[in-house]
Amino acid sequence: MRLPQRQQGRRVRVCAPLLARDGSQKGIRTRGSLLVFSGARQLEKLLSRGGGSDCIKANAKSCGECIQAGPNCGWCKKTDFLQEGEPTSARCDDLAALKSKGCPIEDIENPRGSKQVLENREVTNRKKGAAEKLRPEAITQIQPQKLSLHLRVGEPQTFSLKFKRAEDYPIDLYYLMDLSYSMKDDLENVKSLGTALMLEMEKITSDFRIGFGSFVEKTVMPYISTTPAKLRNPCTGDQNCTSPFSYKNVLSLTSEGNKFNELVGKQHISGNLDSPEGGFDAIMQVAVCGEQIGWRNVTRLLVFSTDAGFHFAGDGKLGGIVLPNDGKCHLENNVYTMSHYYDYPSIAHLVQKLSENNIQTIFAVTEEFQAVYKELKNLIPKSAVGTLSSNSSNVIQLIIDAYNSLSSEVILENTKLPKGVTISYKSFCKNGVNDTQEDGRKCSNISIGDEVRFEINITANECPKKEQNETIKIKPLGFTEEVEINLQFICECQCQSEGEPNSPACHAGNGTFECGACRCNEGRIGRLCECSTDEVNSEDMDAYCRRENSTEICSNNGECICGQCVCKKRENTNEVYSGKYCECDNFNCDRSNGLICGGNGICKCRVCECFPNFTGSACDCSLDTTPCMASNGQICNGRGTCECGTCNCTDPKFQGPTCEMCQTCLGVCAEHKDCVQCRAFDKGEKKETCSQECMHFNMTRVESRDKLPQPGQPDPLSHCKEKDVDDCWFYFTYSVNSNGEANVHVVETPECPSGPDIIPIVAGVVAGIVLIGLALLLIWKLLMIIHDRREFAKFEKEKMNAKWDTGENPIYKSAVTTVVNPKYEGK
């Protein structure tokens, strides 16, 4: 809501505390500015940007606030840059707008972010078995190592990070084993693990150390039996077991494999009551007790071997243990002494400590618990799960496979980012594989000697409150090397450090003059700090905010602050009030086609200022005569006037968009052909009256049609072809120059058709008749031949089909009659 404004002639009182704080509309705000533009130039720029940039909306009162509004915002420190009525926030705008407003480039404060590499050792190129023996801290796998970034709000800084797996890199491996009774047969195989694993690891690195630790369970009920006999020997029958314990560091990391075999060979199985074991307590102590374990800043592997599940945070309540694990080292004589006091650590707590100490975990578990530990692996970065045989006989191959799997993937992680800072990754891995977002943090299938690159983008979205420098670190998970990045935030301008406190330019020392503007002391307001909070209540101030002969304060479109009008802001940021008394606006001008000033001008103080070639109260009248141009090159065919891009025909006989249509008019050629014929050839219908009716044009004779004027000349031109009284064609052009004079160019010799040649015509007719007669005779003869052949063929066919009786005449009767005697018997 706005501050209440009193009616007609009564003053508006504005208190200083209401001018800068919250997000509601109470006058001038720190965010969401109420802009004052006294001149048309600023309004035009505002409209051209579609309602103002983020720089203007920030309503910045200082150079520092301005550069935090966006990466493209600049502050003009030129002293006389502001015009009357413009607020200090008008000094903040995008760079192009400041230049167009007349601020010299050297007076624009626009600090940019930068990056500086402070430490940039090349990654190590070293071969296994080389003569040189480098200390672990002298081996470099990540580049650069340290850099400084100067961050401006909204402007990202990008740098490249290179990672290369070094060959023959040292390895520390700590074997942490469950010594509950079910692992009895496994212990026998592990006793010879030291020397055997040393031999295998020599194929990978020449600098390998191994250590051993064991765990069972918390030494309280109900995890173990606390009866004296069970505390001495928790196993049943004649089994000789050692007393239960939580975690014991048997052997700190050493390069002596025989010592590993010797000490592990002296270990005995213990026992507990429940199935889950206290392995998390042991993992926590291995991770945080670096000095006792002997971890170096090299590849750290923790092999966790068990055939059971695990207890985690909260399970300690069963034994009356409620204090959460503190994540600190509590080893005395290599034994964890606070298992009865602190609860089991949570999974998240373990992840944090393992990551902090760059430890990669290998879970060597039996088939029965594979599913459980695979789920755990998904929660712990840089961890692997291997299937342990029932007696741990495959543990060496399991460790080798898990190590190869872990070392073939690099995953970057960063420490906690300061508030308002964001980071993004893009990976450039082997075989052209690129990824962004979360997948941009990692590369897989990396072999020893392979080099991968990451592009890291860091952006500050706001300045820290105390403007202090911050440090973040980026490192590959499981590696001790890291990149240290110092973040320095650009929250102030250089000119602010050059400010003049209690400057005479700020109304007799009532403010600090910096960056071309006054920053008022407490209790002072106004562009030049000319008012105090007490003076604001003076009724005389309102008189400066009223127009002559008006009782309205700031035209009812603003509020009077320190004798100056601050115009209110409308909901639509494209619409602004302006002027010394807020009497102007840019949205109450005439409209055309639903657009202010027809979209062809700028509304300034409720009057349209049209763009070139437009006029009218709504800039809806175009001065462009192109639509009025007739085909002959004349505006409206010389028969009308062009008004707002449309022809208004003055000759009632002509109509159409360019006044060229005339239903009762002859064409130019037909209209002038008689006069051209009489003047050029002394014949035609106007031969007798030629000197009276046909002297209105200038005539020029040319030799041929090629010599006639051609299209493209400045004057409108018509080409004509007409017949004269002798049926001859004559050619001429008709044009009117800029002075209104008609000019005719005529070909001096008409084209007359020649008479026919009788002999060839008669000969051709006779020859045609004869040829046609011969053709007809040939056709008749051909038809007769075809007819005769058909008749002959028909005769031949009938002849072949006829049947003749050649024995006797069918109508012949013999004269002899033979009678047979019926009585005759042949005797």
Side-chain angles (χ1 to χ4, degrees), residues 419-435:
K419 183 180 179 182
V421 175
T422 58
I423 189 169
S424 62
Y425 296 84
K426 182 176 181 179
S427 60
F428 298 87
C429 307
K430 287 177 60 178
N431 303 322
V433 178
N434 301 338
D435 274 312

Side-chain angles (χ1 to χ4, degrees), residues 256-268:
E256 301 177 20
N258 292 328
K259 191 173 182 180
F260 180 94
N261 294 348
E262 178 185 348
L263 289 177
V264 174
K266 296 178 181 179
Q267 301 304 304
H268 296 283

Side-chain angles (χ1 to χ4, degrees), residues 15 404 551 720 797 804:
C15 299
N404 289 332
T551 59
C720 301
K797 184 178 179 181
W804 302 102

Side-chain angles (χ1 to χ4, degrees), residues 449-469:
D450 287 343
E451 183 176 294
V452 295
R453 185 172 66 88
F454 296 88
E455 192 174 90
I456 302 173
N457 189 302
I458 298 179
T459 307
N461 299 307
E462 61 182 65
C463 276
K465 293 182 179 179
K466 298 181 180 179
E467 298 184 10
Q468 73 275 21
N469 295 340

Side-chain angles (χ1 to χ4, degrees), residues 305-322:
S305 175
T306 184
D307 64 349
F310 49 83
H311 285 295
F312 52 89
D315 289 353
K317 292 180 180 180
L318 295 173
I321 303 172
V322 295

Side-chain angles (χ1 to χ4, degrees), residues 174 176 215 218 246-247 278-290 292-293 295 302 304 311 313 324-331 336 342-357 359 361 363 380:
Y174 192 84
L176 183 60
F215 66 91
K218 288 185 179 295
S246 176
Y247 162 67
F280 276 16
D281 273 341
I283 293 176
M284 177 62 75
Q285 293 304 300
V286 172
V288 299
C289 298
Q292 291 87 335
I293 302 300
W295 292 118
L302 170 61
F304 182 83
H311 285 295
N325 195 288
D326 65 350
K328 296 180 180 179
C329 182
H330 297 287
L331 289 185
Y336 180 39
Y342 290 115
D343 193 6
Y344 301 98
S346 65
I347 295 175
H349 200 181
L350 275 184
V351 170
Q352 177 191 353
K353 293 301 179 182
L354 289 171
S355 178
E356 285 179 2
N357 292 281
I359 296 174
T361 310
F363 295 105
I380 301 179

Side-chain angles (χ1 to χ4, degrees), residues 183-375:
M183 294 287 286
K184 180 180 178 181
D185 52 347
D186 299 79
L187 179 60
E188 295 302 320
N189 286 316
V190 173
K191 288 179 180 179
S192 61
L193 177 65
T195 52
L197 187 57
M198 280 279 187
L199 292 174
E200 286 296 326
M201 294 303 288
E202 282 180 358
K203 300 175 182 177
I204 299 174
T205 176
S206 59
D207 189 356
F208 176 72
R209 299 199 311 167
I210 189 170
F212 183 83
S214 58
F215 66 91
V216 181
E217 187 55 277
K218 288 185 179 295
T219 55
V220 296
M221 282 288 290
Y223 311 110
I224 65 169
S225 174
T226 56
T227 61
K230 289 294 183 181
L231 286 176
R232 289 192 300 271
N233 184 0
C235 300
T236 58
D238 56 353
Q239 296 291 333
N240 184 20
C241 296
T242 189
S243 299
F245 58 91
S246 176
Y247 162 67
K248 185 187 300 181
N249 177 29
V250 178
L251 175 65
S252 298
L253 290 164
T254 177
S255 57
E256 301 177 20
N258 292 328
K259 191 173 182 180
F260 180 94
N261 294 348
E262 178 185 348
L263 289 177
V264 174
K266 296 178 181 179
Q267 301 304 304
H268 296 283
I269 292 297
S270 185
N272 61 321
L273 296 179
D274 61 342
S275 175
E277 314 295 1
F280 276 16
D281 273 341
I283 293 176
M284 177 62 75
Q285 293 304 300
V286 172
V288 299
C289 298
E291 292 185 6
Q292 291 87 335
I293 302 300
W295 292 118
R296 298 177 296 172
N297 284 332
V298 297
T299 299
R300 299 176 177 180
L301 300 179
L302 170 61
V303 179
F304 182 83
S305 175
T306 184
D307 64 349
F310 49 83
H311 285 295
F312 52 89
D315 289 353
K317 292 180 180 180
L318 295 173
I321 303 172
V322 295
L323 287 178
N325 195 288
D326 65 350
K328 296 180 180 179
C329 182
H330 297 287
L331 289 185
E332 294 183 10
N333 297 322
N334 288 322
V335 176
Y336 180 39
T337 59
M338 302 297 285
S339 66
H340 64 288
Y341 191 76
Y342 290 115
D343 193 6
Y344 301 98
S346 65
I347 295 175
H349 200 181
L350 275 184
V351 170
Q352 177 191 353
K353 293 301 179 182
L354 289 171
S355 178
E356 285 179 2
N357 292 281
N358 306 305
I359 296 174
Q360 304 176 63
T361 310
I362 300 172
F363 295 105
V365 297
T366 55
E367 182 69 33
E368 180 183 358
F369 289 94
Q370 279 287 303
V372 174
Y373 282 90
K374 282 183 179 178
E375 290 296 327

